[in-house]
Amino acid sequence: MVRMSAEERRESVIRAAMSEFARGGYHGTSTEAIAKRVGVSQPYLFRLFPGKKAIFLAAATRCVEDTIRTFEEASEGLRGEEALHAMANAYTKVIAERPEMMLLQMQMYVAVGAAEAEGDSEFGAAVREGWMRLWDTVHLPLGADVNETTTFMAYGMLVNCLVAMGFPPEHRVREGLYPSARTKGRLEH
């Protein structure tokens, strides 16, 4: 049996936490469930991370980083409408293949609201910082146009909400999304 390094185990915890928090949210997910998924004890989990909040923030950060990487890779060398469609297609593919990414994003926003209602601004600060990095990642390929970036991000949030509610790509509520791409046959489902 090969032993994992602490860094490899930490990576395993982040991946497990992404899945667990995506399903149960911050308050509905126990560190016990994360430890069990990874195959470690809770005390070991807390040697890798100082607490549940740190695990959640590591998972949230990874989710944002993965989404940023998706957009960067899709838009490389592209600008304007070509970049928009490439990023939209790439994100659509990611949420079809890894729905926990989109669900974790939704859970991140819920956690911010709940934490800030309790006077904890750390969640909000971290999630807002990630959101701004995400914004900046799509802003330049979209011509640094605030309206284009806002529209792209708004459509992304709408897609997240529709997918979270279980609407499939071919459902009528998703028909109008990115209509110029759809009519040109460039937007995949």
Side-chain angles (χ1 to χ4, degrees):
M1 180 174 174
V2 176
R3 291 181 55 103
M4 287 185 170
S5 70
E7 192 54 40
E8 290 168 326
R9 192 63 79 177
R10 184 177 167 80
E11 180 61 29
S12 295
V13 170
I14 292 171
R15 284 194 312 270
M18 288 177 74
S19 294
E20 293 294 328
F21 285 127
R23 287 196 317 241
Y26 180 75
H27 292 291
T29 299
S30 69
T31 55
E32 181 180 340
I34 296 167
K36 183 177 179 180
R37 182 181 270 258
V38 177
V40 299
S41 67
Q42 274 187 297
Y44 185 78
L45 191 71
F46 293 122
R47 284 196 317 205
L48 298 171
F49 294 91
K52 183 177 177 179
K53 183 192 294 187
I55 298 169
F56 183 86
L57 290 174
T61 299
R62 176 62 55 79
C63 180
V64 170
E65 288 170 357
D66 288 353
T67 305
I68 287 170
R69 187 171 34 262
T70 296
F71 290 149
E72 286 174 339
E73 289 172 1
S75 66
E76 188 174 347
L78 303 175
R79 291 290 177 257
E81 191 173 334
E82 285 184 319
L84 181 143
H85 296 301
M87 290 186 293
N89 287 337
Y91 187 68
T92 300
K93 183 178 178 186
V94 165
I95 62 174
E97 294 173 356
R98 296 179 57 203
E100 71 276 2
M101 291 273 298
M102 175 274 309
L103 292 172
L104 181 55
Q105 286 178 37
M106 302 301 277
Q107 295 291 1
M108 289 162 45
Y109 309 138
V110 170
V112 168
E116 290 194 346
E118 296 171 0
D120 179 352
S121 62
E122 185 178 0
F123 271 8
V127 171
R128 282 187 292 274
E129 179 184 327
W131 176 263
M132 288 309 304
R133 287 179 44 233
L134 194 58
W135 171 278
D136 292 341
T137 299
V138 302
H139 190 62
L140 290 178
L142 296 179
D145 182 297
V146 171
N147 291 329
E148 287 292 324
T149 305
T150 300
T151 300
F152 181 82
M153 298 298 273
Y155 273 114
M157 286 303 297
L158 176 58
V159 168
N160 282 0
C161 290
L162 294 173
V163 172
M165 290 186 286
F167 288 104
E170 64 278 357
H171 194 279
R172 67 184 174 85
V173 298
R174 291 181 61 182
E175 284 178 10
L177 298 179
Y178 302 109
S180 64
R182 199 175 298 281
T183 58
K184 294 176 186 173
R186 292 192 299 200
L187 187 62
E188 300 167 2
H189 290 275

